[in-house]
Amino acid sequence: VQQLVDSGGETVQPGESLRLSCVVVGDTITGYCMAWFRQVPGKEREAVASIFSRGGSIDYSDFVRGRFTIGQDASKTLFLQMNRLKPEDTAMYYCAAKARSYSGSCAYKASDFEHWGRGTQVTVSS
């Protein structure tokens, strides 16, 4: 991975949906743990969802399980489909990657990830 380019954030109303994307620039052959984190000012960056790039091993934080879906499309772009958005989902969202050759849970803490996007702002407000 040379670069992660995340996008898709905008201002929406409660209950609406949004899809974030993260384009991986560089090597996509090597296995990677891919994840979405979010952060609000004054708080630590928290994990939202993670996935292993070669399939399987998807994890969600309790506060998004059932509403958000993480995945990769045919071009290896990482996405985060966010449904039934709530005001408390307002945050800067970052995609992250960590090289790893074996499958299994990718639910690492933020400091374990090697590559980061610049972030995309999601605001949920009426």
Side-chain angles (χ1 to χ4, degrees):
V1 174
Q2 294 179 345
Q3 189 179 7
L4 300 176
V5 181
D6 38 29
S7 64
E10 59 181 86
T11 299
V12 296
Q13 294 190 347
E16 292 187 338
S17 299
L18 205 56
R19 185 179 177 100
L20 305 183
S21 296
C22 177
V23 176
V24 179
V25 179
D27 175 24
T28 58
I29 299 176
T30 305
Y32 282 93
C33 279
M34 305 291 297
W36 288 96
F37 285 77
R38 69 187 189 185
Q39 188 172 25
V40 296
K43 292 189 176 182
E44 291 188 358
R45 196 166 293 188
E46 62 180 2
V48 175
S50 61
I51 186 171
F52 184 60
S53 64
R54 292 180 178 174
S57 303
I58 293 176
D59 293 281
Y60 294 99
S61 293
D62 289 341
F63 52 80
V64 301
R65 187 174 290 113
R67 298 189 297 124
F68 292 10
T69 302
I70 189 173
Q72 286 183 287
D73 64 19
S75 65
K76 298 296 184 181
T77 296
L78 180 72
F79 65 83
L80 183 69
Q81 177 66 42
M82 304 186 294
N83 298 327
R84 304 197 306 277
L85 283 160
K86 304 175 181 180
E88 51 264 43
D89 294 319
T90 295
M92 184 71 80
Y93 284 72
Y94 299 89
C95 67
K98 169 185 169 60
R100 201 183 72 185
S101 60
Y102 56 91
S103 62
S105 175
C106 288
Y108 295 104
K109 56 186 184 292
S111 59
D112 291 324
F113 284 83
E114 303 149 349
H115 308 281
W116 289 89
R118 291 189 174 183
T120 184
Q121 177 68 37
V122 173
T123 302
V124 185
S125 174
S126 55

